[in-house]
Each structure stands twice: as C-alpha cells, then as structure tokens.
Amino acid sequence: MDYRIKCLPSGVLIFTITRVDTRNAVNFRVMEGLQEAIEQASSADVRALVITGEGGQAFCSGGDLSVFHALRTEEEAYGMLSKMGEILYRLAVLPKPTIALINGTAVGGGCEIASACDFRVAKIGAKLGFIQGSLAITTGWGGGTLLFERIGTAHSLKLLSEASVYRAEQLDHIGFINQVVDEADEAAAESFLEKELSVSSGVLSAYKQIQIRKWEATGLHDRMMQEVRQCAILWAKEDHHRAVDGFLNKK
C-alpha cells in the first residue's frame, strides 16, 4: 500500500503517503488514496484532514517521474495532470479545515498539495520549492493558481518563477508556512488545531463556505484547469523530456 488513512480520537483524519523509497512521490495509487481520504473527511465524524508523508525526510517530492515520464504527448500528460488537478480542487473546497503537515522536503507537486490545504505546518529546516520551472514545465495540478489564492501576488510569482528551494523558516514571514515546529507529527497537528477542535464543526464548515463561495464566484476550478492545460502543452515539448532525462540520469 502506498498510503495510509487513519482517524484520531480527536476526529482528525490523517492521510500519509508511505512511499519512503521514492521520497513519497505521487503515483496513481496515491492519487486514489487521497481521493478516498477526501471522501472520508466529508463524514460528519471527521473534524479536520491532515496530509503528511512517512518518515522524517520527505513530505512529498511531487509526481513520480519514473512513472510519469512515460507520458509523452499533451493529451497523455493532460490525463494525469487533470486527474490530480480535480483531486486538489476537491481538497481545496472541502468544507473542513485541512493541514499540510510538512515533515520533510516538499518540492514540485508536493508544494502544490500543500497549496491546496488551508494551513501548512512545517518541520524546522524542511526544504520547499516550486521547482517545476527547472524541468521546463509549470505547476500542473492547479497548485500555482492556489498559491496565488494563499499569499500575495509578488511572493507567489517570485516562488514560482525562481524554481528555487527554500527552508520552511524563510517562507514563514510571507504566510506560506503558518507554523514552524520542531517535529511535524500528529501531536503538532492536533496542537495547531487545538482551538478549532473545540468549536462546533458546523461553525468551521460555515466559515470555510465563505471562502468556497468566493472561489466559485471567481471560477477557481476553471482557472486551475487552464493551468493544467498549459502545463500539458509544455510537458509534451522536447525541452521538458530532455530536462527529465537529465534529472533521472543524475539520480
């Protein structure tokens, strides 16, 4: 199994990517697991959803290039990218608090998953970066669009355009990281949510709906899908395939 789902007595549902050997990279099974977790989180018994990675090294290293590099054409890429884009849209509009519990490196698609969550709690020293540009593509799961919804325009554009890696502490002051902790574990997630967990779940859902209504009015879903399509176009170009070949050969 490439993922684990469990619910804590507090009502916090934890989704964990368990592909430590790939630095918790996303494959199609992980996508299906995340979709399952989102469906479970819709239950009245669940008060919040937390997403994290197994071990202490990586939250998520993005899409598994050893699998997805086989996708060569625009339409092949769009099939995979749009599948994950739809999942991240559902995560973003889930009417429950959501947290990316960043226990280690989060790069590429890992940062897109984090952007889909309401909050990001990161282990001190964790490295994060929207590095897609170094592979001659853009964010492709809708994470760029979501990033612009989370933090200021100038900061978002800088993070995306530079394709650089930062420490969690560097992203704290711009609001991308909401809290830096010594250990990004279940206890840290429950501590971060302590006050929310004492409030009626109906109240939390009602507040989240305010954000969701804004996103529906501004066409968030369509904007994310436009981002997905643009990435698919770039994915099919030789520049991208050459960059991925170089990356995989270095490994």
Side-chain angles (χ1 to χ4, degrees):
M1 185 65 75
D2 292 338
Y3 62 88
R4 180 174 63 251
I5 302 173
K6 75 171 183 177
C7 195
L8 304 180
S10 60
V12 175
L13 189 73
I14 307 281
F15 173 78
T16 306
I17 304 173
T18 59
R19 306 188 71 223
V20 177
D21 56 329
T22 66
R23 298 179 67 78
N24 295 323
V26 172
N27 60 10
F28 287 111
R29 285 190 297 274
V30 171
M31 290 185 188
E32 291 163 5
L34 183 53
Q35 195 162 1
E36 179 185 344
I38 293 167
E39 290 170 2
Q40 288 189 30
S42 301
S43 163
D45 296 332
V46 175
R47 297 180 57 80
L49 172 62
V50 172
I51 298 172
T52 193
E54 185 90 309
Q57 296 301 310
F59 167 73
C60 174
S61 59
D64 189 339
L65 294 179
S66 68
V67 176
F68 296 150
H69 191 36
L71 308 174
R72 308 297 291 186
T73 69
E74 178 183 336
E75 288 309 310
E76 286 174 343
Y78 185 78
M80 179 275 290
L81 297 169
S82 61
K83 178 180 176 67
M84 190 60 171
E86 293 287 357
I87 292 170
L88 291 194
Y89 177 76
R90 290 190 59 205
L91 175 60
V93 300
L94 180 71
K96 305 280 179 80
T98 56
I99 294 179
L101 187 61
I102 302 169
N103 56 303
T105 299
V107 292
C111 277
E112 296 195 57
I113 294 172
S115 296
C117 295
D118 298 318
F119 307 106
R120 286 150 295 280
V121 175
K123 179 179 179 179
I124 188 168
K127 295 179 179 179
L128 301 94
F130 291 86
I131 62 169
Q132 289 88 337
S134 65
L135 295 176
I137 55 171
T138 60
T139 48
W141 294 341
T145 300
L146 289 166
L147 181 64
F148 277 101
E149 296 291 329
R150 300 297 184 192
I151 62 175
T153 299
H155 289 309
S156 297
L157 191 57
K158 186 75 168 171
L159 291 182
L160 294 169
S161 300
E162 283 191 341
S164 297
V165 176
Y166 305 84
R167 295 188 310 278
E169 307 91 280
Q170 294 175 280
L171 302 180
D172 187 4
H173 74 284
I174 63 172
F176 186 63
I177 298 300
N178 301 103
Q179 187 177 72
V180 177
V181 294
D182 290 333
E183 291 296 332
D185 52 17
E186 292 175 2
E190 288 189 305
S191 176
F192 182 82
L193 287 168
E194 181 180 5
K195 292 183 179 178
E196 284 92 338
L197 294 176
S198 69
V199 174
S200 162
S201 188
V203 169
L204 299 179
S205 178
Y207 281 136
K208 185 75 179 280
Q209 288 289 353
I210 294 174
Q211 177 70 78
I212 294 170
R213 286 193 294 272
K214 174 195 171 187
W215 282 341
E216 289 174 343
T218 59
L220 176 66
H221 180 268
D222 287 346
R223 289 186 283 126
M224 288 176 66
M225 289 303 107
Q226 288 170 11
E227 174 187 340
V228 169
R229 177 57 74 181
Q230 181 60 59
C231 181
I233 292 170
L234 294 172
W235 187 290
K237 293 186 179 299
E238 189 57 36
D239 284 351
H240 170 62
H241 296 310
R242 190 182 304 112
V244 174
D245 284 335
F247 175 80
L248 292 175
N249 288 335
K250 280 196 299 186
K251 294 176 68 176

